[in-house]
Amino acid sequence: MTRLPVAVLGATGAVGQTFIRLLEDHPWFQLAEVAASERSAGKRYGDVTRWIEGAMPAAVARMTVTLCDPATVRSPIVFSALDAAAAAELEPAFARAGRFVLSNAKNLRMEADVPLVIPEVNADHLALLDAQRARGWAGGVVTNANCAATVAAMALAPLHTAFGLTELFLSTMQAVSGAGYPGVPSLDILGNVIPYIGDEEPKLEREMQKMLGTLAGAAIVPAPFVVSAHANRVPVEHGHTVAMSARFARKPSVAHALEALREWRGADSVRGLPSAPEHPLLVTDAPDRPQPRRDVMAGKGMTVTVGRVREDALFDLRCVAMGHNTIRGAAGGSILNAELLAATGRLGWVPPGRA
Amino acid sequence: MTRLPVAVLGATGAVGQTFIRLLEDHPWFQLAEVAASERSAGKRYGDVTRWIEGAMPAAVARMTVTLCDPATVRSPIVFSALDAAAAAELEPAFARAGRFVLSNAKNLRMEADVPLVIPEVNADHLALLDAQRARGWAGGVVTNANCAATVAAMALAPLHTAFGLTELFLSTMQAVSGAGYPGVPSLDILGNVIPYIGDEEPKLEREMQKMLGTLAGAAIVPAPFVVSAHANRVPVEHGHTVAMSARFARKPSVAHALEALREWRGADSVRGLPSAPEHPLLVTDAPDRPQPRRDVMAGKGMTVTVGRVREDALFDLRCVAMGHNTIRGAAGGSILNAELLAATGRLGWVPPGRA
Amino acid sequence: MTRLPVAVLGATGAVGQTFIRLLEDHPWFQLAEVAASERSAGKRYGDVTRWIEGAMPAAVARMTVTLCDPATVRSPIVFSALDAAAAAELEPAFARAGRFVLSNAKNLRMEADVPLVIPEVNADHLALLDAQRARGWAGGVVTNANCAATVAAMALAPLHTAFGLTELFLSTMQAVSGAGYPGVPSLDILGNVIPYIGDEEPKLEREMQKMLGTLAGAAIVPAPFVVSAHANRVPVEHGHTVAMSARFARKPSVAHALEALREWRGADSVRGLPSAPEHPLLVTDAPDRPQPRRDVMAGKGMTVTVGRVREDALFDLRCVAMGHNTIRGAAGGSILNAELLAATGRLGWVPPGRA
Amino acid sequence: MTRLPVAVLGATGAVGQTFIRLLEDHPWFQLAEVAASERSAGKRYGDVTRWIEGAMPAAVARMTVTLCDPATVRSPIVFSALDAAAAAELEPAFARAGRFVLSNAKNLRMEADVPLVIPEVNADHLALLDAQRARGWAGGVVTNANCAATVAAMALAPLHTAFGLTELFLSTMQAVSGAGYPGVPSLDILGNVIPYIGDEEPKLEREMQKMLGTLAGAAIVPAPFVVSAHANRVPVEHGHTVAMSARFARKPSVAHALEALREWRGADSVRGLPSAPEHPLLVTDAPDRPQPRRDVMAGKGMTVTVGRVREDALFDLRCVAMGHNTIRGAAGGSILNAELLAATGRLGWVPPGRA
């Protein structure tokens, strides 16, 4: 039973490192290639990488960095931790060359034929991949949403399904790891709040409608709600916290909202995937949770925790959602997307035990 | 030219210490008495106080702590840093005994005959003091609002006056000093966010309407807007940051809103008071300000900084306000209230140079 | 194959909680009793405990708290997370009643007949237990050292064995979790250093000599080195960092010191114990490690990481050691001590698979 | 009475900004030029500078940045906040061109003819300036020591004078502002300690001997003590804390050491200089001070606070010193050096009121 070889593009950066950590001992995928720019290509990974968290896996340290190019990277699955500038050219090139690209970059997220996927929420959006053939892509691109949008969308998915979200006010408190490495200077954030994250509010105001939208034929009809977002950076390492007030087409009681949140398991096709947590959402009764330091590793970083579900003076409901920005909101989300591709037969490869 | 003797009740705690720091070298008031509970009374202030910030003023360290009782504390002005439990009995007792109490406790804030004052915003509300005679009080009580409500109310005051606030969402990121000392344990807040502060959201949802309300005869008609508040604690020492989305009766353009904010100076009676900052509001153009660590000491902690004034997708305007929670939002606000009492002749005492 | 029932004394506090987390799914020990003071006894554990890290295990939340008394606590092994005041009376009472007490309190550590044990370092010191019979104790007490002393002693053990430590300077940077909960107020430590920890330096200056001492007959001959300690608190959650300069009877080269550190595995009797890490010491080559946030969970918190081994201008060698203060330095260390007791036959009970 | 025009080289960086803040309203010096590299030259200072602390002075924001070259910068006094690479060429060029350079760079500190000055400690070392003529310099260079070395040297100066320092062990806990801006990434230091600062320990081990050395003819005879340094970075904004154990030729009692520290005022020539604090050293009796957040602004950042003076088990005395690394340890120290140059007649210019 062989594992499928996969590559990480942008492997030396912060998100790339998270991919590498999460792919260690993956039951389906084998990290075969670590790719980066010309500056690092041809060198030992351990020599060109400033490893940020814990210890660098010894096997990876010994790997030779491959140039980020479809001619040199041969794996059928590529996880892209590229920044927007590099992704602009490279991700389409890999798709054209027949690879499936799992992308964290913002470039293609809002393209009509590119699925923006959280498997538990909108696994069916993968159908858009068929439309990518028209681009002349032998492979395809599946994108992740912005990390804070992912956390909010997961908490809202069951509520939107049950009650029809119409208006959403949200204010985030986002971890520094969301800005990559070196990212936020310590002089900017120690004991401080920065009430601004470049280009974050627009993403928060448009990506959720697509994710919570409906597949109609070969297109996504966005969910028709309006979002007002306030994005803030706080001195937290991992875990984006989102305070939300929401209005619905059918006003739910707090009890009904809690029931919808507690019963939600997400799409059937996701259950049992290696990276799928038992509970994509965890609802806490504690008056002062979720908290990033205490709840961020729920479901190995793949579970979003929701708390403080209560009435709102202006809209219908208020609540707080918190999730791991570099796991569920980035690398872990991409890996789950790839597992979904494999499990739904889109790779022409049968995962172990799925015959 | 003599200064007026004043006392601080609850002088050994965190807010009490801020009073003491701010009263050092005050041109009108002379710190004559430091009062606390029986446990400390009769002892040297320096021996019973764990001083939190900077160095304890040597003259205060040598003072003997007085018992918190109108029979032992003789100053005509008392600044109360008492917690709600102690304030419940003591503040009325001092008022009955003819003293003017400047209170930070929540107990009396919402009483119909007790002014809830930010001098620049609603100096005229002091007229309520006359109604307190009906309680048999020879003196009176003037209260400060909750620290986060004060920051928000100052930023909103000129906008409300010009455009008529109707709906307000706000999400706070509050400093640990707001919880006093010892207050928030470090294990709860280092690298963390706590999306809950006990009893804070109700205060934020009701106090601003009174402060921004209108004096009609001997009563305040509350401003008729509705507030939805999300209160969060963040690992910041001083400075509450408030993200707000607001709707108005008359929708302002961003330019008009900025103009209203920039031109506002507050009530005439406040200008020139010793603790009044030149600019009660400062509007910043920087895309990523206000920030607590960088802006909290504007106007010696008495200025609220407003930034990121922009359109809102749901309501009319979004912005961020930030101010010093223990200076403008507590001790400094009380001292300014006392200065206003003096300057408006309510103490029967003429401040130096105001003859 | 039954597991041995064990109790945690002081189960509701911070160290008690760490015991509970580490005993979940323990292969030898079954958490049978959670004991606390009269205030909590008889109540549901989940109702009286403010759980600090992650989520409280559901099974423990449902347990009824037992009164901390040998008459009510029946387990043969008791892990004591009691503070010094409570431990003074209770730990001897449990020992008298035939239980084996694994203590984190300072009270008995320096008693001549009480072993102060790090299994890898001085497993043979358990022989002192026989001498405890003379106190009329049917059971016995085994103590852990101060958390920072444990980290330093582990790093020094192989060096002392090989080269004979004579003089030691150390300066610690200790995590806030070492002070328990609520412990250090956030206003004291956010963005700050406190160059003092009450009673810490004396412990650091006397406990290591006993741990690194030699068993001679029924007594420990302390290792004859002199320690000068500087104890500091820093805003770190877990992990004590210790900078050290050491002089030895036989000056080692850096290469020889590294070799001694790298080859050390500790006492044979410890290998294979459930809580024993594969490497009690890990030597890092990185120029800027060990770091608490990055290395504290090495060996599931039971491994001490040593780095920056280099020449010293005054003594022979300098290095930095870092270890988890509430796992290796407290609860995890006690559990390893209990495993050692079991594995060496001192409990009259044969662990599973050790027949 | 005119003020002397001065320039800041490297004016856009972190230390440059501190110079600018400290020179605002300086009674002797007038900030006439802000100089930086070609990238910024010719542009408005406010447009090319990311201001780090508080608000940028409006007058400076409007200044045009001058190219860092003696041909374009005309002020007779230049404060250099250049990094080592830029300083290597530029500082000698300015000196050659007749300017007095007050340097924070490490390049020239250890040159035999370059004074390394803390005015209170070794004002007489300015005599070395005469020897610089031999380099063909019409002006001269006066250097500041490493920021942590400055803090330690000030605390040790009176003790060395009285008792003769022979051996010193020190372990630092240094603020992030010491690394400039952007400097330390937040992901590296939030809740963490980094037990390493590049090239810091060698500076700590050699610069103090020169500062505490004796002027003999035209040369400095270094003080003959040996230093072992451990340099650590901690999540503190400003203020380096140094734990020290010291041995002396004549062992002092704690009482005598305290007396020497308390009585010390430094060189007579320094008293009354505009930036000289009343007390260059402040001795604290509090058991847990000095602390950076609480004591760093003593003497407006120019006073070093010393505490915990106590016996040492290995050497004679232990103590903790703490001072502001970017004020006393950098920009403020340079300005004081320039004031000393002026006051001692080396500029051929008489400061106001010093006729």
Side-chain angles (χ1 to χ4, degrees), chain C residues 9-173:
Chain C
L9 311 183
T12 59
V15 175
Q17 294 181 23
T18 306
F19 271 118
I20 287 170
R21 280 196 294 114
L22 296 178
L23 288 168
E24 242 197 313
D25 309 315
H26 194 279
W28 295 3
F29 304 140
Q30 159 110 44
L31 179 64
E33 294 164 301
V34 287
S37 67
E38 279 186 349
R39 202 163 39 79
S40 304
K43 298 183 183 151
R44 206 173 150 274
Y45 182 79
D47 292 340
V48 296
T49 304
R50 186 178 167 79
W51 192 260
I52 301 168
E53 238 181 304
M56 188 187 294
V60 176
R62 286 189 298 266
M63 289 175 76
T64 300
V65 176
T66 310
L67 182 67
C68 237
D69 187 294
T72 45
V73 173
R74 307 303 307 165
S75 301
I77 297 268
V78 297
F79 293 107
S80 165
L82 299 169
D83 60 27
E89 196 182 336
L90 284 168
E91 292 185 357
F94 274 90
R96 210 173 298 121
R99 318 303 165 70
F100 281 91
V101 180
L102 286 303
S103 165
N104 281 275
K106 68 175 176 182
N107 310 49
L108 298 168
R109 283 177 192 159
M110 298 307 293
E111 295 286 301
D113 59 352
V114 175
L116 183 62
V117 176
I118 300 173
E120 291 93 336
V121 171
N122 61 353
D124 60 330
H125 289 202
L126 286 185
L128 290 189
L129 281 168
D130 300 328
Q132 294 183 10
R133 298 288 150 81
R135 290 178 182 252
W137 291 357
V141 174
V142 177
T143 61
N144 280 8
N146 167 276
C147 43
T150 298
V151 171
M154 284 186 65
L156 293 167
L159 300 175
H160 177 58
T161 302
F163 313 111
L165 184 63
T166 58
E167 295 183 292
L168 177 69
F169 269 119
L170 63 86
S171 182
T172 70
M173 290 163 284

Side-chain angles (χ1 to χ4, degrees), chain A residues 168 187-188 190 192 195-196 201 205 227-230 244-245 290-294 308 310 312-314 318, chain B residues 169 187-188 190 192 195 201 205 227-230 244-245 290-294 308 310 312-314 318:
Chain A
L168 177 68
L187 275 174
D188 282 347
L190 268 180
N192 200 20
Y196 173 72
E201 292 171 353
E205 296 188 348
V227 180
S228 161
H230 298 249
M244 297 190 274
S245 286
Q291 295 174 15
R293 250 235 342 269
R294 285 167 175 155
R308 303 205 69 216
R310 59 206 196 282
D312 187 50
L314 281 172
R318 267 179 295 178
Chain B
F169 269 120
L187 275 174
D188 282 348
L190 267 180
N192 201 19
E201 291 170 356
E205 295 189 348
V227 180
S228 163
H230 299 248
M244 297 190 275
S245 285
Q291 296 175 13
R293 250 230 348 264
R294 285 167 175 153
R308 302 204 71 216
R310 61 206 195 280
D312 188 47
L314 280 172
R318 270 178 293 178

Side-chain angles (χ1 to χ4, degrees), chain D residues 246-272:
Chain D
R247 176 174 281 160
F248 298 91
R250 298 168 294 285
K251 175 176 181 149
S253 67
V254 168
H256 282 150
L258 283 168
E259 195 184 326
L261 290 163
R262 287 216 166 88
E263 290 184 353
W264 189 68
R265 287 294 173 276
D268 286 347
S269 51
V270 182
R271 241 159 282 157

Side-chain angles (χ1 to χ4, degrees), chain A:
Chain A
M1 221 152 49
T2 345
R3 293 187 289 163
L4 195 68
V6 300
V8 173
L9 311 183
T12 58
V15 175
Q17 294 180 23
T18 308
F19 271 118
I20 288 170
R21 280 196 292 114
L22 296 177
L23 288 167
E24 242 197 314
D25 308 315
H26 194 280
W28 295 3
F29 303 140
Q30 160 111 43
L31 179 64
E33 293 163 300
V34 288
S37 67
E38 278 186 349
R39 203 163 37 79
S40 303
K43 298 182 182 152
R44 208 173 149 274
Y45 182 81
D47 292 340
V48 295
T49 304
R50 184 175 168 80
W51 191 260
I52 303 169
E53 239 180 303
M56 187 186 295
V60 177
R62 286 189 298 265
M63 289 174 77
T64 300
V65 176
T66 310
L67 182 67
C68 237
D69 187 295
T72 44
V73 173
R74 308 303 309 166
S75 301
I77 298 267
V78 297
F79 293 107
S80 165
L82 299 170
D83 58 29
E89 196 182 336
L90 284 169
E91 293 185 354
F94 274 92
R96 210 174 300 122
R99 319 303 165 69
F100 281 91
V101 180
L102 287 302
S103 166
N104 281 274
K106 68 175 177 183
N107 310 50
L108 297 168
R109 283 177 192 159
M110 299 306 293
E111 295 286 301
D113 59 352
V114 175
L116 184 61
V117 177
I118 300 173
E120 290 93 337
V121 171
N122 62 354
D124 60 331
H125 289 202
L126 285 185
L128 290 189
L129 281 169
D130 300 329
Q132 294 183 9
R133 298 289 148 82
R135 291 181 181 249
W137 291 357
V141 173
V142 177
T143 61
N144 280 9
N146 166 276
C147 43
T150 298
V151 171
M154 285 187 65
L156 292 167
L159 300 174
H160 177 58
T161 302
F163 312 112
L165 185 62
T166 58
E167 295 183 291
L168 177 68
F169 166 88
L170 64 84
S171 182
T172 70
M173 290 164 283
Q174 302 185 217
V176 294
S177 61
Y181 185 87
V184 185
S186 52
L187 275 174
D188 282 347
I189 199 66
L190 268 180
N192 200 20
V193 165
I194 306 173
Y196 173 72
I197 302 176
D199 198 29
E200 191 82 357
E201 292 171 353
K203 292 180 203 160
L204 283 163
E205 296 188 348
R206 73 180 177 231
E207 295 184 359
M208 279 186 279
Q209 293 91 331
K210 179 170 180 181
M211 283 189 279
L212 296 177
T214 313
L215 180 72
I220 304 297
V221 181
F225 56 82
V226 182
V227 180
S228 161
H230 298 249
N232 303 285
R233 185 78 69 195
V234 291
V236 163
E237 190 189 3
H238 296 304
H240 288 354
T241 306
V242 188
M244 297 190 274
S245 286
R247 176 175 280 161
F248 298 92
R250 298 168 294 284
K251 175 176 178 149
S253 67
V254 167
H256 283 150
L258 283 168
E259 196 185 325
L261 289 163
R262 288 216 166 88
E263 290 184 353
W264 189 68
R265 288 293 174 276
D268 286 347
S269 51
V270 182
R271 240 158 284 155
L273 295 183
S275 301
E278 193 189 334
H279 300 276
L281 285 184
L282 213 61
V283 179
T284 172
D285 287 329
D288 59 354
R289 304 281 277 261
Q291 295 174 15
R293 250 235 342 269
R294 285 167 175 155
D295 298 306
V296 77
M297 287 312 295
K300 297 187 180 169
M302 290 297 285
T303 292
V304 166
T305 304
V306 182
R308 303 205 69 216
V309 180
R310 59 206 196 282
E311 294 224 333
D312 187 50
L314 281 172
F315 287 173
D316 298 335
L317 285 178
R318 267 179 295 178
C319 68
V320 179
M322 195 280 307
H324 199 300
N325 51 300
T326 65
I327 298 182
R328 170 58 85 165
S334 285
I335 293 173
L336 187 58
N337 284 348
E339 293 167 4
L340 180 66
L341 281 179
T344 54
R346 290 193 165 269
L347 300 182
W349 172 82
V350 182
R354 290 252 165 177

Side-chain angles (χ1 to χ4, degrees), chain C:
Chain C
M1 218 148 55
T2 346
R3 293 188 289 163
L4 196 68
V6 301
V8 173
L9 311 183
T12 59
V15 175
Q17 294 181 23
T18 306
F19 271 118
I20 287 170
R21 280 196 294 114
L22 296 178
L23 288 168
E24 242 197 313
D25 309 315
H26 194 279
W28 295 3
F29 304 140
Q30 159 110 44
L31 179 64
E33 294 164 301
V34 287
S37 67
E38 279 186 349
R39 202 163 39 79
S40 304
K43 298 183 183 151
R44 206 173 150 274
Y45 182 79
D47 292 340
V48 296
T49 304
R50 186 178 167 79
W51 192 260
I52 301 168
E53 238 181 304
M56 188 187 294
V60 176
R62 286 189 298 266
M63 289 175 76
T64 300
V65 176
T66 310
L67 182 67
C68 237
D69 187 294
T72 45
V73 173
R74 307 303 307 165
S75 301
I77 297 268
V78 297
F79 293 107
S80 165
L82 299 169
D83 60 27
E89 196 182 336
L90 284 168
E91 292 185 357
F94 274 90
R96 210 173 298 121
R99 318 303 165 70
F100 281 91
V101 180
L102 286 303
S103 165
N104 281 275
K106 68 175 176 182
N107 310 49
L108 298 168
R109 283 177 192 159
M110 298 307 293
E111 295 286 301
D113 59 352
V114 175
L116 183 62
V117 176
I118 300 173
E120 291 93 336
V121 171
N122 61 353
D124 60 330
H125 289 202
L126 286 185
L128 290 189
L129 281 168
D130 300 328
Q132 294 183 10
R133 298 288 150 81
R135 290 178 182 252
W137 291 357
V141 174
V142 177
T143 61
N144 280 8
N146 167 276
C147 43
T150 298
V151 171
M154 284 186 65
L156 293 167
L159 300 175
H160 177 58
T161 302
F163 313 111
L165 184 63
T166 58
E167 295 183 292
L168 177 69
F169 269 119
L170 63 86
S171 182
T172 70
M173 290 163 284
Q174 301 186 216
V176 295
S177 62
Y181 185 87
V184 184
S186 52
L187 276 174
D188 282 348
I189 198 68
L190 269 178
N192 201 20
V193 164
I194 307 175
Y196 173 73
I197 302 176
D199 198 28
E200 192 81 357
E201 291 170 353
K203 291 179 203 161
L204 283 162
E205 296 188 347
R206 72 179 178 233
E207 295 185 359
M208 278 186 281
Q209 293 89 334
K210 179 170 179 180
M211 283 189 280
L212 297 177
T214 313
L215 180 71
I220 305 297
V221 181
F225 56 82
V226 182
V227 180
S228 162
H230 299 249
N232 303 285
R233 184 79 69 195
V234 291
V236 164
E237 190 188 2
H238 297 303
H240 288 353
T241 306
V242 188
M244 298 189 275
S245 286
R247 176 174 280 161
F248 298 92
R250 296 168 295 285
K251 175 174 179 151
S253 67
V254 168
H256 283 150
L258 283 168
E259 193 184 329
L261 290 163
R262 287 217 165 89
E263 290 184 351
W264 189 68
R265 286 295 173 277
D268 287 344
S269 50
V270 182
R271 241 158 284 157
L273 295 183
S275 302
E278 194 189 333
H279 299 276
L281 284 184
L282 213 60
V283 179
T284 173
D285 286 330
D288 58 355
R289 304 279 277 264
Q291 296 175 14
R293 249 229 351 266
R294 286 170 173 151
D295 298 305
V296 76
M297 289 311 296
K300 297 186 179 169
M302 292 296 286
T303 292
V304 167
T305 305
V306 183
R308 303 204 71 215
V309 180
R310 59 206 194 282
E311 294 224 333
D312 188 49
L314 281 172
F315 287 172
D316 298 335
L317 286 179
R318 269 178 295 178
C319 67
V320 178
M322 196 280 309
H324 199 302
N325 51 301
T326 67
I327 298 183
R328 171 57 84 165
S334 285
I335 292 173
L336 187 57
N337 284 348
E339 293 167 5
L340 181 66
L341 281 178
T344 53
R346 291 193 165 268
L347 301 181
W349 171 84
V350 181
R354 291 251 167 180

